[in-house]
Amino acid sequence: MSIRVLVADDQEIVRTGLAMILDAQPDIEVVGEAADGRRAVELARRLRPDVCLFDIRMPGLDGIQATRLLAGPDVDDPLAVVVITTFDLDEYVYAALRAGARGFLLKDAGTVMLSQAVHAAAVGDALIAPSVTARLLGAFADTGPTSPSLRPVEALTDREEQILVTVARGRTNVEIADEFHISLSTVKSHIASLMAKLGARNRVEIAMWAYETRRLRG
């Protein structure tokens, strides 16, 4: 079955380009487009797409607010949201991640990365681009407005601490399995345990916790 995607960007040429790229993928279907955040939220609630791809900066209701309304901690049945931005050090991106986004991309990320992000979000995962996300999360964990990090409900094991750092660096499950010479199912079990102990909903929140507790810098 195709992954149903909603695209929202106030620039028509960008929105059209993203939609064309996604529609060209054999297993992705763009089911809606919006030029502002308010319309994006309306369409998302009506269409219930598998993945929402939102620009950060939109008129009326920006991408952060739209993300919070659709994927925030108070949302009973959150949608998968991936945010896109022009700048790789943009405080709005960090705010969007805190609002519930599963990941973000630069608008020049390319077809492969865009497709990977959509596929990851569709299965409940999150694409964290190492070259951008690690640097951004590290910077804004130090300078952004954050609340004190909570202690895990149960102490992390040594292996979980290792997995935590690799997730924060943007490693995929396959890369983590290769690095530690463990099976893919074991990696998934460790990540599930991390999510439970940290109260995290996805990999992005695991990575944010790692930076906010100074497990990894830069």
Side-chain angles (χ1 to χ4, degrees), residues 3-153:
I3 299 171
R4 301 168 66 253
V5 179
L6 170 66
V7 177
D9 194 298
D10 62 329
Q11 298 181 40
E12 183 178 2
I13 190 169
V14 174
R15 187 173 68 250
T16 302
L18 290 170
M20 289 178 62
I21 290 172
L22 293 172
D23 267 332
Q25 306 302 309
D27 58 351
I28 296 177
E29 176 190 6
V30 175
V31 295
E33 298 181 33
D36 63 76
R38 201 170 304 282
R39 177 62 174 162
V41 171
E42 291 173 357
L43 283 176
R45 286 173 171 167
R46 177 161 58 86
L47 300 174
R48 301 295 300 180
D50 299 307
V51 179
C52 299
L53 184 64
F54 289 171
D55 184 20
I56 286 291
R57 294 169 173 167
M58 293 187 288
L61 194 70
D62 64 27
I64 299 169
Q65 295 169 302
T67 298
R68 188 175 293 113
L69 289 172
L70 297 171
D74 297 328
V75 179
D76 291 333
D77 189 14
L79 291 171
V81 179
V82 174
V83 296
I84 54 176
T85 182
T86 304
F87 307 104
D88 62 355
L89 282 180
D90 187 335
E91 67 272 20
Y92 294 123
V93 178
Y94 187 76
L97 296 180
R98 296 187 70 84
R102 286 189 180 164
F104 76 93
L105 293 172
L106 293 179
K107 289 186 179 178
D108 61 358
T111 302
V112 173
M113 187 69 73
L114 178 62
S115 176
Q116 288 177 346
V118 168
H119 281 90
V123 297
D125 209 336
L127 184 141
I128 305 176
S131 63
V132 179
T133 309
R135 186 170 71 250
L136 183 141
L137 288 176
F140 287 99
D142 288 334
T143 63
T146 63
S147 56
S149 298
L150 299 175
R151 293 179 180 273
V153 296

Side-chain angles (χ1 to χ4, degrees), residues 161-171 176 179-180 216:
E161 289 280 1
Q162 294 172 330
I163 300 293
L164 176 72
V165 171
T166 61
V167 170
R169 287 175 172 158
R171 302 292 192 269
I176 294 171
E179 180 174 344
F180 294 110
L216 188 149

